[in-house]
Amino acid sequence: MADPRIIDVSLDERTILWRNADVEQERRIAIYDLLEGNRFAPQRVHADGYAGPYRVRLRVEDGRLAIDIRRADDSPLETLVLGLARFRRPIRDYFAICDSYYQALRQATPQQIETIDMARRGLHNEAAELLIERLSGKIEIDFDTARRLFTLICVLHIRG
C-alpha cells in the first residue's frame, strides 16, 4: 500500500560550512514540520511496487542538488539530481531578506517586522512554486512540503 511521505530527512553536513543559531532554528523547525506532514511521491515506478515511506538525504554536489531517496529500511531507491541555476537568485534573495528579518527582530517596530516577514514569506512561496515546477514529473510534492524543502536547500547553501 502506498505511503507517499518522508519519514526521515537529513542534510549532508559536509556541505554546510557554517550556520548561526537563527539558521539552526530554521533548520530544526523545517525538519520537524516536514516530518509532521508532507506529501512526497517519486514518480518512478519500482519493480517491486514500493511507494513509500521514504528517507531523504539532501546534498549539493558540483553545483547541483542531489536528492537521495531511500526506502524505510534505508536501502537505496534512487538519486534525483536537479540543476540549481534557477534557484540561485531566490536563495540569494531569501538570505538577504532573512538577514533583514533577524536584524529587525532585535531592533525594529512590530510593523516593520511584519512588513519584512510578509516579503520573506512571499519569496519563500515563490521558491516553493519553483521547486514544485522543477520536480514535476519526477517527484510529486505539495506546497507545504516544497516550502520546507526550500528552507533546507537554503541551509545547504550557507557559506560562512
Side-chain angles (χ1 to χ4, degrees), residues 137-153:
K138 299 172 187 85
I139 303 172
E140 181 185 311
I141 58 175
D142 62 16
F143 184 73
D144 289 337
T145 300
R147 286 185 98 249
R148 292 163 185 142
L149 288 173
F150 178 72
T151 299
L152 297 176
I153 291 167

Side-chain angles (χ1 to χ4, degrees), residues 16-60:
I16 304 168
L17 300 180
W18 172 87
R19 58 184 177 231
N20 64 24
D22 293 326
V23 170
E24 183 59 22
Q25 179 68 4
E26 290 283 327
R27 183 196 65 80
R28 277 194 304 269
I29 290 169
I31 289 174
Y32 177 82
D33 288 346
L34 181 67
L35 296 178
E36 283 297 303
N38 67 78
R39 169 125 178 104
F40 186 90
Q43 300 299 288
R44 178 175 291 156
V45 177
H46 299 282
D48 64 356
Y50 190 82
Y54 303 97
R55 295 179 180 277
V56 173
R57 182 168 188 227
L58 303 174
R59 58 191 164 85
V60 174

Side-chain angles (χ1 to χ4, degrees), residues 13 16 25-26 31 44 62 78 81 89-90 95 99 101 103 110 115 121 136-137 142 147 149:
E13 293 296 324
I16 304 168
Q25 179 68 4
E26 290 283 327
I31 289 174
R44 178 175 291 156
D62 298 324
E78 64 182 294
V81 179
R89 184 178 181 129
F95 282 151
D99 285 343
Y101 177 74
Q103 288 174 11
T115 300
R121 280 183 276 151
S136 178
D142 62 16
R147 286 185 98 249
L149 288 173

